[in-house]
Amino acid sequence: MHEKCGVVGISLEDRDAARPLYYSLYALQHRGQESAGIVTHDGFQQYSHVEMGLVGDAFDPGDLEALNGSNGIGHVRYPTAGSVNACCAQPFSVSFKSGSLGLSHNGNLVNADEIGDELADLGHAFTSDGDTEVIAHDLARNLLEEDLVRAVKRTMNRIHGSYSLTIMHDETVLGVRDPQGNRPLCIGELKDGYVLASESAAIDTLDGELIRDVKPGELVVLHADGTGYDTYQLVEPENTANCFFEHVYFARPDSTIDENLVYEVRRELGRKLWEESGVESDVVLPVPDSGRAFASGYAEAAQDDGSDIEFAEGLMKNRYVGRTFIMPTQDERERAVRLKLNPIKSTIEGKSVTIIDDSIVRGTTSTQLIKLLKDAGAEEVNVRIGAPPIVAPCYMGIDMASRDELIAGNQSVEEIRDEIEADSLSYLSIDAIAETLDKSRTDLCLGCVTGEYPYDIEGEATDRDVVRPDIGTQSSPADD
């Protein structure tokens, strides 16, 4: 699985926003490594710099100096909709009769083609195949007829899917979270302004204070002079659809999302993993780095129950090797696992081992890890996973394998255990996820582990009553 994207927006009192935006994007780099960009406005004109690559490669000091203005938005991208090229890099910028517009998007629309086709018939020219440009054009069209708040609401009434947006209309920065709250977005206060970001870790990087999460269906408008913000609850959702995988895998452990510190959530999930399927062994090992908090909680819960299990680091990670799932062939993926992880034999040899990870996708990494551990002398290798089996793809902004590629797509847990050659295998239950997050299942997006989605996706089942917007007719002001 690949991360989704990261968005940020900043309004300051009397200093340029470019460098704080740059630092924020560094803090969000884990959410996307394909491209990075910043758009600013100085009250007179808009400035933009967007490049392919990591944040550190996309900007040099001269690029930041050229981004004038105390208001701006930024984006790091991993492509989940649209091509892997510069035309889809963000923030997306457009100039039109009512001014300039910049837009950063985290998430994925499921009706972008319908809206794009309608707008193309009306004469809008598109330069990319991404859904972000569709949102920008739709909003620009509405801004010709409405004020900023009503224009945003009209666009929200038309787009269907997951989105957290940071938008800049001339020098005004705003943030929008979709009515289901599928993607995270929060607001923080700086000593001389305010910031919107996908994760609170970006606010921490700027020495700011987290104020709160942006509510599902809420619009936050930052004052252009950096002195405050206004909020508008544009849609009142009956249920949310928070992505549980943010807490399991994607977000930084030091981020707070939907009022939960991610690190503590993962530790609690590890504790519940012991409660549901704990197995006596000599040592519990995290798969670095994603399994570390789970394994810590698992071992602590085991020890609280009187177990002699030991928590230890038994796998050393080479941080200069790329992700195994982007290798083009199965043989290369298997070789990359050996390049990436090396066992510490003194921790493993002659012992029964339990390894903890956040998920199993294709099963390639798990198979190789178990072989590594047994080659290093482990007498027994048990596998515990801090999430339910992934049985279906994600359409909400995670680049995930297809059903045919997912090891749990058409196999039982016992069949998976046999394929990866583990001595035992257990996953965490969905109920444990909901209980830890203190949410009902109906307030979570569980599509990848149930095959039922909170949005109307062609050919897929839904887990709730969903009304897909009718794109045949543009809503009138009276409908807003």
Side-chain angles (χ1 to χ4, degrees):
M1 293 175 293
H2 297 294
E3 288 87 341
K4 300 167 285 285
C5 296
V7 303
V8 62
I10 291 176
S11 289
L12 302 173
E13 292 180 17
D14 58 4
R15 62 183 170 117
D16 284 345
R19 196 163 293 277
L21 286 164
Y22 174 72
Y23 296 145
S24 299
L25 294 182
Y26 252 117
L28 299 174
Q29 184 75 89
H30 60 287
R31 299 186 68 87
Q33 300 87 44
E34 181 64 37
S35 64
I38 292 174
V39 172
T40 62
H41 202 288
D42 63 3
F44 299 98
Q45 70 179 86
Q46 180 173 282
Y47 304 85
S48 175
H49 183 84
V50 180
E51 292 286 349
M52 303 298 289
L54 300 173
V55 174
D57 299 323
F59 297 91
D60 61 35
D63 298 326
L64 295 177
E65 291 294 332
L67 292 167
N68 299 325
S70 58
N71 302 284
I73 61 174
H75 189 269
V76 288
R77 179 177 189 256
Y78 186 86
T80 57
S83 304
V84 185
N85 53 46
C87 74
C88 289
Q90 299 179 39
F92 183 83
S93 300
V94 61
S95 295
F96 61 109
K97 216 185 303 185
S98 291
S100 60
L101 193 67
L103 192 144
S104 296
H105 175 206
N106 171 209
N108 202 45
L109 300 187
V110 297
N111 68 339
D113 289 345
E114 299 168 49
I115 299 174
D117 289 344
E118 181 201 60
L119 293 173
D121 289 342
L122 293 171
H124 289 252
F126 291 89
T127 61
S128 72
D129 57 357
D131 53 357
T132 303
E133 186 175 5
V134 171
I135 301 173
H137 276 267
D138 194 78
L139 180 56
R141 179 189 176 199
N142 290 327
L143 282 166
L144 295 174
E145 303 175 1
E146 300 290 347
D147 62 36
L148 182 59
V149 174
R150 291 173 68 84
V152 171
K153 184 173 182 180
R154 291 182 72 176
T155 292
M156 288 178 71
N157 287 340
R158 285 163 53 78
I159 58 179
H160 186 59
S162 66
Y163 55 90
S164 281
L165 309 172
T166 53
I167 305 168
M168 191 164 62
H169 180 224
D170 293 335
E171 71 270 32
T172 300
V173 173
L174 50 149
V176 184
R177 195 174 181 194
D178 75 67
Q180 282 68 48
N182 189 256
R183 293 285 155 254
L185 190 66
C186 59
I187 183 168
E189 184 175 5
L190 308 178
K191 63 180 181 180
D192 59 347
Y194 290 85
V195 55
L196 294 153
S198 293
E199 294 185 34
S200 63
I203 300 170
D204 296 337
T205 298
L206 302 179
D207 294 324
E209 293 289 333
L210 173 65
I211 297 174
R212 62 173 175 85
D213 297 292
V214 175
K215 299 173 186 175
E218 183 180 26
L219 165 67
V220 177
V221 182
L222 304 185
H223 296 176
D225 61 5
T227 59
Y229 62 92
D230 300 314
T231 68
Y232 305 87
Q233 190 66 43
L234 299 184
V235 181
E236 293 281 359
E238 291 185 16
N239 292 99
T240 60
N242 301 148
C243 173
F244 83 93
F245 237 87
E246 289 282 354
H247 299 279
V248 169
Y249 178 77
F250 290 113
R252 274 177 48 161
D254 53 333
S255 285
T256 296
I257 291 182
D258 294 322
E259 301 182 355
N260 292 298
L261 179 64
V262 173
Y263 177 76
E264 292 299 339
V265 167
R266 291 176 185 170
R267 275 181 47 82
E268 181 59 26
L269 293 174
R271 294 183 66 89
K272 291 193 180 302
L273 192 56
W274 168 263
E275 293 171 9
E276 291 187 345
S277 60
V279 57
E280 284 293 344
S281 58
D282 297 316
V283 62
V284 56
L285 310 177
V287 176
D289 292 311
S290 54
R292 188 165 285 116
F294 296 93
S296 172
Y298 180 95
E300 183 180 89
Q303 291 160 6
D304 288 347
D305 278 351
S307 172
D308 292 329
I309 197 168
E310 175 191 2
F311 173 85
E313 298 285 351
L315 294 163
M316 186 56 59
K317 184 176 182 179
N318 179 349
R319 301 181 188 279
Y320 298 95
V321 176
R323 300 173 185 275
T324 57
F325 41 66
I326 65 173
M327 300 297 175
T329 68
Q330 182 73 6
D331 181 66
E332 285 180 295
R333 282 194 290 268
E334 292 176 2
R335 176 60 54 192
V337 172
R338 290 188 171 271
L339 287 170
K340 190 174 183 179
L341 294 169
N342 193 43
I344 301 172
K345 288 191 176 182
S346 61
T347 304
I348 297 162
E349 193 169 15
K351 297 179 180 178
S352 63
V353 172
T354 299
I355 58 171
I356 310 285
D357 207 354
D358 58 88
S359 59
I360 300 177
V361 183
R362 292 186 177 94
T364 301
T365 299
S366 298
T367 302
Q368 290 299 305
L369 279 178
I370 292 164
K371 187 175 188 306
L372 280 176
L373 292 170
K374 291 191 173 180
D375 287 348
E379 291 186 353
E380 179 181 82
V381 179
N382 306 287
V383 179
R384 295 295 180 268
I385 303 298
I390 299 171
V391 300
C394 175
Y395 298 92
M396 312 316 18
I398 303 173
D399 186 19
M400 191 179 286
S402 67
R403 276 186 172 84
D404 290 341
E405 294 174 303
L406 293 168
I407 194 170
N410 54 15
Q411 293 192 91
S412 67
V413 173
E414 184 57 26
E415 288 170 332
I416 297 169
R417 183 208 64 76
D418 186 58
E419 181 172 332
I420 65 176
E421 299 184 358
D423 290 282
S424 72
L425 169 65
S426 288
Y427 293 83
L428 193 64
S429 70
I430 294 175
D431 287 341
I433 297 281
E435 183 180 345
T436 299
L437 295 177
D438 194 25
K439 291 184 178 292
S440 69
R441 290 175 59 154
T442 55
D443 283 324
L444 294 171
C445 180
L446 299 165
C448 63
V449 296
T450 64
E452 298 180 341
Y453 299 87
Y455 301 96
D456 182 7
I457 301 165
E458 186 175 352
E460 299 288 0
T462 60
D463 62 3
R464 62 196 71 193
D465 293 331
V466 180
V467 179
R468 191 181 181 107
D470 182 4
I471 304 305
T473 57
Q474 168 80 1
S475 64
S476 67
D479 296 328
D480 299 335

